[in-house]
Amino acid sequence: MRFIEGGPSIPDELLTARDEGRVVIFCGAGVSRAKAGIPDFISLAEAVADSLGVSSADPIRAVLKEISTLGQRTGVNGLISADVVFDRLEQSFERSDIDRAVAEALMPNDGVDLSAHQMLIDLARTPSGNVRVVTSNFERLFEACAPDLTVYTPLNLPDVSRVDDFNGIVHNHGIVNELYTDAAGDGFILSSSEFGKAYLADGWATKFIRSILAKYVVLFIGYAADDPPVKYLLQGINRLGNNKNTLYAFHAGTAGEADASWSTKGVEAIAYNPDDHHHFLWETIEAWRNRAIDIDGWYEQQFKLADQGPEKLSRHQRGKIAHIVSTRIGAKKLAQREMPIPATWLCVFDS
């Protein structure tokens, strides 16, 4: 179903799972970059290199340059990723200095736009009121939106098998301290060696994700298929095998590009047009959030549109009505309505 004209088509199964409280939203750097202007992983590596005074002749600078141009030259992204840069930085600098530089680079500006984070908190809220968000981002923008939410880190991950124990924001790669002067707790997961330890060698991160997949549907937003968090996460899952649950991911690009990037990783991609600063994605998320916070009102709004007859509605508006009648809950709400929708809809549903 498309919430807006030209927007991505959200699978009915994902819409239903969210309404039933069975979705965990995984948020990547694109979420914080979109509205708040926080640097992504590559830009973060560049900022840390600048802060630490890495010289222009240092091989780290050459690697950073290759990251930004290699994908354009070859047409293949992810051949070099930013975690490799942090491997090199750890060979030349104290880890405490790297962590401080990371924290300072993530400091948000005054009046930072938190709308993307607030929308995703609302979208991730279950009918019982629990919020289930996992983020590989280090900054505290979700917490700025909802200071009352529990914050989980690698040292205190929730017990997913207990329904009420998972209610808040999981920073599975670490989090900055409240002053943005250093890492909190046990530090950040930055380098390929640390990713490998968390997802493959020790495997604690993989076990946590596996426990989520045993019970929930996962939606990735703000990630590319070759981002280090996704790459290591999916490698860890595939290594253990027997993954039977569903993973979805928003993808900036065509349906063909989305399928090529994600299908081999066992993820169903939801392609969208990235024009105008990802306008179609965020307008869709806002519309989906509005449905989530007042689902009865959303259904009635769609029924009022349906009262006009299919011939007066746009294609995506007709698609919303088709979605409603195809689901158990939607069909029940329609049946309970005093005024039936026009009979002209029958030919649409039969086609």
Side-chain angles (χ1 to χ4, degrees):
M1 186 186 81
R2 299 183 194 276
F3 280 96
I4 65 169
E5 192 75 45
S9 179
I10 311 299
D12 286 355
E13 295 81 4
L14 178 57
L15 291 168
T16 300
R18 197 236 67 88
D19 292 345
E20 295 174 349
R22 295 188 292 107
V23 169
V24 176
I25 301 180
F26 277 61
C27 300
V31 170
S32 294
R33 185 175 63 246
K35 307 288 186 180
I38 301 298
D40 61 17
F41 205 31
I42 294 174
S43 298
L44 178 62
E46 293 172 339
V48 170
D50 292 342
S51 177
L52 295 174
V54 175
S55 72
S56 59
D58 193 294
I60 290 174
R61 295 294 185 182
V63 173
L64 285 168
K65 184 177 180 180
E66 280 297 299
I67 290 176
S68 64
T69 61
L70 187 58
Q72 297 175 356
R73 294 202 313 267
T74 64
V76 180
N77 293 320
L79 294 176
I80 306 176
S81 54
D83 54 314
V84 176
V85 176
F86 283 103
D87 278 330
R88 296 298 300 257
L89 287 170
E90 288 181 354
Q91 294 172 17
S92 303
F93 297 92
E94 293 293 331
R95 181 52 194 259
S96 58
D97 293 333
I98 295 173
D99 283 352
R100 283 193 291 269
V102 167
E104 292 168 3
L106 294 172
M107 170 71 82
N109 295 324
D110 292 338
V112 61
D113 185 348
L114 299 176
S115 59
H117 296 78
Q118 186 61 63
M119 286 190 287
L120 290 170
I121 287 174
D122 293 340
L123 191 60
R125 196 176 297 276
T126 71
S128 64
N130 287 356
V131 171
R132 298 193 180 108
V133 169
V134 178
T135 180
S136 52
N137 300 339
F138 306 128
E139 77 284 340
R140 291 178 172 266
L141 298 187
F142 283 111
E143 291 74 13
C145 292
D148 58 320
L149 288 177
T150 301
V151 177
Y152 304 95
T153 65
L155 294 177
N156 68 322
L157 293 172
D159 182 354
V160 178
S161 66
R162 300 173 60 185
V163 174
D164 292 330
D165 198 53
F166 186 3
N167 179 20
I169 311 298
V170 178
H171 287 266
N172 61 330
H173 294 165
I175 187 174
V176 299
N177 63 21
E178 293 184 0
L179 297 177
Y180 282 81
T181 57
D182 205 344
D186 206 30
F188 304 124
I189 295 177
L190 293 165
S191 64
S192 58
S193 59
E194 290 166 336
F195 278 110
K197 185 176 181 181
Y199 286 96
L200 300 174
D202 292 350
W204 59 263
T206 299
K207 292 174 184 176
F208 172 64
I209 304 304
R210 292 277 301 172
S211 68
I212 290 177
L213 287 173
K215 193 169 185 177
Y216 299 103
V217 173
V218 165
L219 172 62
F220 293 108
I221 180 169
Y223 292 103
D226 52 17
D227 284 346
V230 173
K231 178 179 67 176
Y232 287 101
L233 184 156
L234 295 178
Q235 282 179 352
I237 292 173
N238 293 335
R239 175 171 165 262
L240 293 177
N242 298 320
N243 172 40
K244 297 184 183 301
N245 225 325
T246 306
L247 299 94
Y248 297 92
F250 283 109
H251 179 89
T254 66
E257 293 167 344
D259 185 65
S261 296
W262 291 95
S263 63
T264 57
K265 297 177 172 64
V267 179
E268 182 175 338
I270 305 170
Y272 70 90
N273 182 343
D275 290 351
D276 193 17
H277 304 287
H278 303 268
H279 163 82
F280 292 101
L281 171 64
W282 291 108
E283 287 296 308
T284 293
I285 294 298
E286 182 175 14
W288 193 3
R289 184 277 302 267
N290 292 340
R291 164 184 157 136
I293 62 179
D294 183 15
I295 194 163
D296 289 336
W298 182 86
Y299 274 113
E300 186 54 35
Q301 184 183 48
Q302 306 316 309
F303 291 145
K304 288 180 178 179
L305 284 174
D307 289 340
Q308 301 176 38
E311 65 279 357
K312 293 185 178 181
L313 302 186
S314 66
R315 181 177 179 180
H316 90 275
Q317 289 173 325
R318 293 194 298 272
K320 291 181 185 180
I321 308 304
H323 160 75
I324 288 173
V325 300
S326 69
T327 64
R328 179 181 57 82
I329 294 175
K332 181 179 179 180
K333 288 182 178 293
L334 180 59
Q336 293 172 341
R337 192 170 185 249
E338 292 184 5
M339 179 186 297
I341 61 175
T344 50
W345 280 100
L346 292 175
C347 63
V348 176
F349 301 147
D350 291 339
S351 61

